[in-house]
mmCIF file of all heavy atoms in Angstrom:
data_model
loop_
_atom_site.group_PDB
_atom_site.id
_atom_site.type_symbol
_atom_site.label_atom_id
_atom_site.label_comp_id
_atom_site.label_asym_id
_atom_site.label_seq_id
_atom_site.Cartn_x
_atom_site.Cartn_y
_atom_site.Cartn_z
ATOM 1 N N GLY A 65 7.376 4.582 -3.333
ATOM 2 C CA GLY A 65 6.073 4.741 -2.673
ATOM 3 C C GLY A 65 5.021 5.276 -3.612
ATOM 4 O O GLY A 65 3.929 4.830 -3.664
ATOM 5 N N GLU A 66 5.407 6.347 -4.347
ATOM 6 C CA GLU A 66 4.444 6.932 -5.346
ATOM 7 C C GLU A 66 4.066 5.902 -6.426
ATOM 8 O O GLU A 66 2.873 5.804 -6.747
ATOM 9 C CB GLU A 66 5.120 8.105 -5.967
ATOM 10 C CG GLU A 66 5.232 9.324 -5.057
ATOM 11 C CD GLU A 66 6.017 10.489 -5.690
ATOM 12 O OE1 GLU A 66 6.228 10.488 -6.929
ATOM 13 O OE2 GLU A 66 6.399 11.334 -4.965
ATOM 14 N N ARG A 67 5.022 5.139 -6.809
ATOM 15 C CA ARG A 67 4.734 4.123 -7.842
ATOM 16 C C ARG A 67 3.803 3.034 -7.289
ATOM 17 O O ARG A 67 2.839 2.632 -7.997
ATOM 18 C CB ARG A 67 6.056 3.465 -8.328
ATOM 19 C CG ARG A 67 5.877 2.421 -9.398
ATOM 20 C CD ARG A 67 5.519 3.008 -10.724
ATOM 21 N NE ARG A 67 5.459 2.017 -11.724
ATOM 22 C CZ ARG A 67 4.586 1.892 -12.701
ATOM 23 N NH1 ARG A 67 3.618 2.784 -12.851
ATOM 24 N NH2 ARG A 67 4.616 0.866 -13.547
ATOM 25 N N LEU A 68 4.056 2.575 -6.100
ATOM 26 C CA LEU A 68 3.179 1.638 -5.448
ATOM 27 C C LEU A 68 1.796 2.154 -5.298
ATOM 28 O O LEU A 68 0.742 1.427 -5.602
ATOM 29 C CB LEU A 68 3.687 1.189 -4.069
ATOM 30 C CG LEU A 68 4.906 0.240 -4.114
ATOM 31 C CD1 LEU A 68 5.494 0.050 -2.742
ATOM 32 C CD2 LEU A 68 4.605 -1.088 -4.763
ATOM 33 N N ARG A 69 1.632 3.367 -4.892
ATOM 34 C CA ARG A 69 0.298 3.997 -4.704
ATOM 35 C C ARG A 69 -0.414 4.069 -5.975
ATOM 36 O O ARG A 69 -1.590 3.790 -6.127
ATOM 37 C CB ARG A 69 0.475 5.423 -4.085
ATOM 38 C CG ARG A 69 -0.885 6.093 -3.675
ATOM 39 C CD ARG A 69 -0.680 7.420 -3.045
ATOM 40 N NE ARG A 69 0.366 7.498 -2.087
ATOM 41 C CZ ARG A 69 1.490 8.203 -2.287
ATOM 42 N NH1 ARG A 69 1.763 8.788 -3.397
ATOM 43 N NH2 ARG A 69 2.487 8.253 -1.389
ATOM 44 N N ASP A 70 0.268 4.571 -7.071
ATOM 45 C CA ASP A 70 -0.334 4.675 -8.405
ATOM 46 C C ASP A 70 -0.784 3.252 -8.900
ATOM 47 O O ASP A 70 -1.901 3.174 -9.428
ATOM 48 C CB ASP A 70 0.670 5.303 -9.396
ATOM 49 C CG ASP A 70 0.924 6.734 -9.157
ATOM 50 O OD1 ASP A 70 0.208 7.386 -8.369
ATOM 51 O OD2 ASP A 70 1.901 7.235 -9.678
ATOM 52 N N LEU A 71 -0.016 2.254 -8.726
ATOM 53 C CA LEU A 71 -0.355 0.935 -9.233
ATOM 54 C C LEU A 71 -1.491 0.336 -8.396
ATOM 55 O O LEU A 71 -2.375 -0.273 -8.925
ATOM 56 C CB LEU A 71 0.880 -0.012 -9.181
ATOM 57 C CG LEU A 71 1.956 0.302 -10.201
ATOM 58 C CD1 LEU A 71 3.197 -0.600 -9.871
ATOM 59 C CD2 LEU A 71 1.403 0.040 -11.613
ATOM 60 N N ARG A 72 -1.524 0.623 -7.076
ATOM 61 C CA ARG A 72 -2.618 0.171 -6.272
ATOM 62 C C ARG A 72 -3.922 0.726 -6.771
ATOM 63 O O ARG A 72 -4.956 0.046 -6.884
ATOM 64 C CB ARG A 72 -2.394 0.489 -4.794
ATOM 65 C CG ARG A 72 -3.551 0.036 -3.848
ATOM 66 C CD ARG A 72 -3.258 0.269 -2.398
ATOM 67 N NE ARG A 72 -2.877 1.610 -2.075
ATOM 68 C CZ ARG A 72 -3.771 2.634 -1.787
ATOM 69 N NH1 ARG A 72 -5.076 2.403 -1.883
ATOM 70 N NH2 ARG A 72 -3.358 3.823 -1.416
ATOM 71 N N SER A 73 -3.921 2.022 -7.042
ATOM 72 C CA SER A 73 -5.128 2.718 -7.532
ATOM 73 C C SER A 73 -5.554 2.114 -8.904
ATOM 74 O O SER A 73 -6.706 1.835 -9.090
ATOM 75 C CB SER A 73 -4.815 4.173 -7.660
ATOM 76 O OG SER A 73 -5.929 4.866 -8.188
ATOM 77 N N GLU A 74 -4.553 1.944 -9.806
ATOM 78 C CA GLU A 74 -4.842 1.342 -11.097
ATOM 79 C C GLU A 74 -5.434 -0.006 -11.029
ATOM 80 O O GLU A 74 -6.261 -0.422 -11.849
ATOM 81 C CB GLU A 74 -3.559 1.331 -11.973
ATOM 82 C CG GLU A 74 -3.145 2.705 -12.395
ATOM 83 C CD GLU A 74 -1.791 2.654 -13.167
ATOM 84 O OE1 GLU A 74 -1.423 1.648 -13.649
ATOM 85 O OE2 GLU A 74 -1.120 3.741 -13.238
ATOM 86 N N ALA A 75 -4.990 -0.839 -9.922
ATOM 87 C CA ALA A 75 -5.488 -2.129 -9.798
ATOM 88 C C ALA A 75 -6.830 -2.166 -9.179
ATOM 89 O O ALA A 75 -7.482 -3.287 -9.006
ATOM 90 C CB ALA A 75 -4.511 -2.929 -8.908
ATOM 91 N N GLY A 76 -7.391 -1.006 -8.808
ATOM 92 C CA GLY A 76 -8.702 -0.960 -8.218
ATOM 93 C C GLY A 76 -8.756 -1.362 -6.776
ATOM 94 O O GLY A 76 -9.826 -1.640 -6.178
ATOM 95 N N ILE A 77 -7.603 -1.397 -6.133
ATOM 96 C CA ILE A 77 -7.566 -1.677 -4.677
ATOM 97 C C ILE A 77 -7.566 -0.369 -3.959
ATOM 98 O O ILE A 77 -6.607 0.391 -3.991
ATOM 99 C CB ILE A 77 -6.211 -2.487 -4.363
ATOM 100 C CG1 ILE A 77 -6.164 -3.777 -5.203
ATOM 101 C CG2 ILE A 77 -6.099 -2.761 -2.838
ATOM 102 C CD1 ILE A 77 -4.881 -4.487 -5.096
ATOM 103 N N THR A 78 -8.696 -0.120 -3.330
ATOM 104 C CA THR A 78 -8.957 1.216 -2.784
ATOM 105 C C THR A 78 -8.302 1.548 -1.419
ATOM 106 O O THR A 78 -8.188 2.696 -1.032
ATOM 107 C CB THR A 78 -10.451 1.481 -2.630
ATOM 108 O OG1 THR A 78 -11.015 0.493 -1.765
ATOM 109 C CG2 THR A 78 -11.143 1.425 -4.007
ATOM 110 N N SER A 79 -7.816 0.507 -0.740
ATOM 111 C CA SER A 79 -7.251 0.742 0.581
ATOM 112 C C SER A 79 -5.917 0.076 0.748
ATOM 113 O O SER A 79 -5.682 -0.986 0.199
ATOM 114 C CB SER A 79 -8.151 0.374 1.731
ATOM 115 O OG SER A 79 -8.221 -1.080 1.769
ATOM 116 N N GLN A 80 -5.039 0.690 1.522
ATOM 117 C CA GLN A 80 -3.806 0.079 1.815
ATOM 118 C C GLN A 80 -4.027 -1.198 2.671
ATOM 119 O O GLN A 80 -3.278 -2.155 2.490
ATOM 120 C CB GLN A 80 -2.932 1.079 2.697
ATOM 121 C CG GLN A 80 -2.540 2.311 1.972
ATOM 122 C CD GLN A 80 -1.876 3.327 2.792
ATOM 123 O OE1 GLN A 80 -1.970 3.267 4.028
ATOM 124 N NE2 GLN A 80 -1.199 4.290 2.205
ATOM 125 N N GLU A 81 -5.043 -1.198 3.428
ATOM 126 C CA GLU A 81 -5.352 -2.365 4.305
ATOM 127 C C GLU A 81 -5.705 -3.568 3.418
ATOM 128 O O GLU A 81 -5.232 -4.667 3.665
ATOM 129 C CB GLU A 81 -6.498 -2.070 5.230
ATOM 130 C CG GLU A 81 -6.778 -3.160 6.215
ATOM 131 C CD GLU A 81 -7.812 -2.734 7.260
ATOM 132 O OE1 GLU A 81 -8.454 -1.680 7.176
ATOM 133 O OE2 GLU A 81 -7.945 -3.467 8.241
ATOM 134 N N LYS A 82 -6.469 -3.379 2.331
ATOM 135 C CA LYS A 82 -6.815 -4.486 1.471
ATOM 136 C C LYS A 82 -5.601 -4.971 0.735
ATOM 137 O O LYS A 82 -5.391 -6.219 0.626
ATOM 138 C CB LYS A 82 -7.865 -4.030 0.469
ATOM 139 C CG LYS A 82 -8.366 -5.069 -0.478
ATOM 140 C CD LYS A 82 -9.033 -6.196 0.255
ATOM 141 C CE LYS A 82 -9.513 -7.276 -0.681
ATOM 142 N NZ LYS A 82 -10.095 -8.432 0.051
ATOM 143 N N LEU A 83 -4.703 -4.114 0.266
ATOM 144 C CA LEU A 83 -3.508 -4.506 -0.393
ATOM 145 C C LEU A 83 -2.654 -5.333 0.584
ATOM 146 O O LEU A 83 -2.081 -6.392 0.195
ATOM 147 C CB LEU A 83 -2.713 -3.327 -0.944
ATOM 148 C CG LEU A 83 -1.397 -3.656 -1.571
ATOM 149 C CD1 LEU A 83 -1.500 -4.644 -2.721
ATOM 150 C CD2 LEU A 83 -0.650 -2.357 -2.024
ATOM 151 N N ALA A 84 -2.523 -4.903 1.821
ATOM 152 C CA ALA A 84 -1.730 -5.576 2.800
ATOM 153 C C ALA A 84 -2.285 -6.994 3.004
ATOM 154 O O ALA A 84 -1.503 -7.965 3.078
ATOM 155 C CB ALA A 84 -1.698 -4.793 4.071
ATOM 156 N N GLU A 85 -3.592 -7.093 3.103
ATOM 157 C CA GLU A 85 -4.246 -8.386 3.306
ATOM 158 C C GLU A 85 -3.918 -9.320 2.113
ATOM 159 O O GLU A 85 -3.571 -10.502 2.310
ATOM 160 C CB GLU A 85 -5.711 -8.157 3.417
ATOM 161 C CG GLU A 85 -6.522 -9.445 3.577
ATOM 162 C CD GLU A 85 -8.051 -9.158 3.596
ATOM 163 O OE1 GLU A 85 -8.461 -8.192 4.169
ATOM 164 O OE2 GLU A 85 -8.800 -10.002 3.004
ATOM 165 N N LEU A 86 -4.066 -8.860 0.908
ATOM 166 C CA LEU A 86 -3.777 -9.616 -0.272
ATOM 167 C C LEU A 86 -2.332 -10.041 -0.359
ATOM 168 O O LEU A 86 -2.044 -11.117 -0.858
ATOM 169 C CB LEU A 86 -4.170 -8.845 -1.514
ATOM 170 C CG LEU A 86 -5.674 -8.544 -1.706
ATOM 171 C CD1 LEU A 86 -5.922 -7.545 -2.896
ATOM 172 C CD2 LEU A 86 -6.445 -9.870 -2.009
ATOM 173 N N ALA A 87 -1.448 -9.134 0.107
ATOM 174 C CA ALA A 87 0.014 -9.434 -0.048
ATOM 175 C C ALA A 87 0.581 -10.222 1.103
ATOM 176 O O ALA A 87 1.691 -10.676 1.054
ATOM 177 C CB ALA A 87 0.756 -8.106 -0.192
ATOM 178 N N GLY A 88 -0.168 -10.240 2.224
ATOM 179 C CA GLY A 88 0.296 -10.945 3.397
ATOM 180 C C GLY A 88 1.369 -10.173 4.178
ATOM 181 O O GLY A 88 2.259 -10.709 4.812
ATOM 182 N N VAL A 89 1.201 -8.851 4.131
ATOM 183 C CA VAL A 89 2.037 -7.973 4.966
ATOM 184 C C VAL A 89 1.206 -7.145 5.853
ATOM 185 O O VAL A 89 -0.036 -7.078 5.707
ATOM 186 C CB VAL A 89 2.988 -7.040 4.005
ATOM 187 C CG1 VAL A 89 3.867 -7.879 3.139
ATOM 188 C CG2 VAL A 89 2.065 -6.130 3.156
ATOM 189 N N HIS A 90 1.822 -6.439 6.817
ATOM 190 C CA HIS A 90 1.034 -5.646 7.789
ATOM 191 C C HIS A 90 0.584 -4.371 7.122
ATOM 192 O O HIS A 90 1.276 -3.785 6.287
ATOM 193 C CB HIS A 90 1.921 -5.339 8.984
ATOM 194 C CG HIS A 90 1.118 -4.914 10.179
ATOM 195 N ND1 HIS A 90 0.753 -3.598 10.337
ATOM 196 C CD2 HIS A 90 0.680 -5.638 11.221
ATOM 197 C CE1 HIS A 90 0.023 -3.537 11.485
ATOM 198 N NE2 HIS A 90 -0.022 -4.698 12.001
ATOM 199 N N ARG A 91 -0.589 -3.944 7.504
ATOM 200 C CA ARG A 91 -1.186 -2.729 6.818
ATOM 201 C C ARG A 91 -0.371 -1.502 7.048
ATOM 202 O O ARG A 91 -0.291 -0.663 6.164
ATOM 203 C CB ARG A 91 -2.659 -2.553 7.330
ATOM 204 C CG ARG A 91 -2.755 -2.286 8.818
ATOM 205 C CD ARG A 91 -4.210 -2.109 9.220
ATOM 206 N NE ARG A 91 -4.368 -2.024 10.676
ATOM 207 C CZ ARG A 91 -4.009 -0.931 11.331
ATOM 208 N NH1 ARG A 91 -3.657 0.176 10.722
ATOM 209 N NH2 ARG A 91 -4.167 -0.899 12.682
ATOM 210 N N THR A 92 0.214 -1.373 8.225
ATOM 211 C CA THR A 92 1.044 -0.190 8.426
ATOM 212 C C THR A 92 2.357 -0.162 7.549
ATOM 213 O O THR A 92 2.821 0.893 7.202
ATOM 214 C CB THR A 92 1.468 0.013 9.917
ATOM 215 O OG1 THR A 92 2.203 -1.135 10.326
ATOM 216 C CG2 THR A 92 0.220 0.072 10.791
ATOM 217 N N TYR A 93 2.770 -1.330 7.239
ATOM 218 C CA TYR A 93 3.937 -1.494 6.332
ATOM 219 C C TYR A 93 3.633 -0.888 4.951
ATOM 220 O O TYR A 93 4.427 -0.113 4.400
ATOM 221 C CB TYR A 93 4.363 -2.887 6.220
ATOM 222 C CG TYR A 93 5.637 -3.149 5.378
ATOM 223 C CD1 TYR A 93 6.866 -2.520 5.669
ATOM 224 C CD2 TYR A 93 5.602 -4.008 4.324
ATOM 225 C CE1 TYR A 93 7.992 -2.720 4.916
ATOM 226 C CE2 TYR A 93 6.707 -4.232 3.556
ATOM 227 C CZ TYR A 93 7.907 -3.629 3.885
ATOM 228 O OH TYR A 93 9.050 -3.843 3.075
ATOM 229 N N VAL A 94 2.476 -1.177 4.403
ATOM 230 C CA VAL A 94 2.049 -0.643 3.136
ATOM 231 C C VAL A 94 2.037 0.905 3.186
ATOM 232 O O VAL A 94 2.505 1.574 2.299
ATOM 233 C CB VAL A 94 0.690 -1.215 2.650
ATOM 234 C CG1 VAL A 94 0.255 -0.495 1.379
ATOM 235 C CG2 VAL A 94 0.848 -2.727 2.382
ATOM 236 N N GLY A 95 1.419 1.428 4.286
ATOM 237 C CA GLY A 95 1.384 2.849 4.441
ATOM 238 C C GLY A 95 2.737 3.487 4.513
ATOM 239 O O GLY A 95 2.986 4.554 3.880
ATOM 240 N N ARG A 96 3.636 2.874 5.246
ATOM 241 C CA ARG A 96 5.005 3.379 5.346
ATOM 242 C C ARG A 96 5.763 3.381 4.001
ATOM 243 O O ARG A 96 6.503 4.256 3.659
ATOM 244 C CB ARG A 96 5.799 2.644 6.463
ATOM 245 C CG ARG A 96 5.344 2.938 7.855
ATOM 246 C CD ARG A 96 6.336 2.451 8.917
ATOM 247 N NE ARG A 96 7.010 1.196 8.575
ATOM 248 C CZ ARG A 96 6.555 -0.039 9.042
ATOM 249 N NH1 ARG A 96 5.520 -0.120 9.808
ATOM 250 N NH2 ARG A 96 7.280 -1.109 8.714
ATOM 251 N N LEU A 97 5.536 2.297 3.245
ATOM 252 C CA LEU A 97 6.115 2.263 1.928
ATOM 253 C C LEU A 97 5.574 3.304 0.992
ATOM 254 O O LEU A 97 6.328 4.035 0.338
ATOM 255 C CB LEU A 97 5.836 0.849 1.279
ATOM 256 C CG LEU A 97 6.526 -0.322 1.882
ATOM 257 C CD1 LEU A 97 6.053 -1.606 1.167
ATOM 258 C CD2 LEU A 97 8.066 -0.189 1.761
ATOM 259 N N GLU A 98 4.263 3.511 0.948
ATOM 260 C CA GLU A 98 3.698 4.490 0.079
ATOM 261 C C GLU A 98 4.076 5.884 0.482
ATOM 262 O O GLU A 98 4.147 6.748 -0.367
ATOM 263 C CB GLU A 98 2.148 4.357 0.118
ATOM 264 C CG GLU A 98 1.672 3.100 -0.659
ATOM 265 C CD GLU A 98 0.217 3.116 -0.933
ATOM 266 O OE1 GLU A 98 -0.544 4.074 -0.533
ATOM 267 O OE2 GLU A 98 -0.276 2.110 -1.469
ATOM 268 N N ARG A 99 4.371 6.159 1.688
ATOM 269 C CA ARG A 99 4.772 7.467 2.137
ATOM 270 C C ARG A 99 6.328 7.650 2.004
ATOM 271 O O ARG A 99 6.858 8.707 2.253
ATOM 272 C CB ARG A 99 4.392 7.764 3.615
ATOM 273 C CG ARG A 99 2.923 7.905 3.824
ATOM 274 C CD ARG A 99 2.560 8.338 5.197
ATOM 275 N NE ARG A 99 2.996 7.427 6.219
ATOM 276 C CZ ARG A 99 2.346 6.341 6.675
ATOM 277 N NH1 ARG A 99 1.226 6.003 6.143
ATOM 278 N NH2 ARG A 99 2.809 5.582 7.615
ATOM 279 N N GLY A 100 6.991 6.567 1.609
ATOM 280 C CA GLY A 100 8.443 6.697 1.482
ATOM 281 C C GLY A 100 9.202 6.619 2.800
ATOM 282 O O GLY A 100 10.360 7.056 2.885
ATOM 283 N N GLU A 101 8.595 6.103 3.838
ATOM 284 C CA GLU A 101 9.216 6.089 5.152
ATOM 285 C C GLU A 101 10.015 4.860 5.397
ATOM 286 O O GLU A 101 10.817 4.795 6.296
ATOM 287 C CB GLU A 101 8.120 6.257 6.271
ATOM 288 C CG GLU A 101 7.355 7.582 6.218
ATOM 289 C CD GLU A 101 6.221 7.642 7.147
ATOM 290 O OE1 GLU A 101 5.892 6.614 7.767
ATOM 291 O OE2 GLU A 101 5.601 8.659 7.228
ATOM 292 N N SER A 102 9.759 3.768 4.644
ATOM 293 C CA SER A 102 10.501 2.517 4.800
ATOM 294 C C SER A 102 10.967 2.045 3.475
ATOM 295 O O SER A 102 10.411 2.274 2.394
ATOM 296 C CB SER A 102 9.555 1.440 5.309
ATOM 297 O OG SER A 102 9.164 1.718 6.623
#
């Protein structure tokens, strides 16, 4: 989760929602991944 968050920031993607949209996954899934919950 920490690695995904760092890479998202480095990629200039400011929100989990935008990353989810680009990746074709649900926005809450990205949040759960970044928090280490899933």
Side-chain angles (χ1 to χ4, degrees):
E66 289 173 15
R67 181 72 175 140
L68 286 172
R69 188 179 318 109
D70 291 345
L71 289 170
R72 177 173 57 81
S73 179
E74 289 174 19
I77 302 171
T78 58
S79 72
Q80 294 172 344
E81 187 171 10
K82 183 63 178 175
L83 177 57
E85 178 185 322
L86 293 169
V89 299
H90 198 275
R91 63 181 173 79
T92 60
Y93 182 57
V94 172
R96 288 193 324 265
L97 290 175
E98 287 189 1
R99 290 187 303 274
E101 296 172 355
S102 290

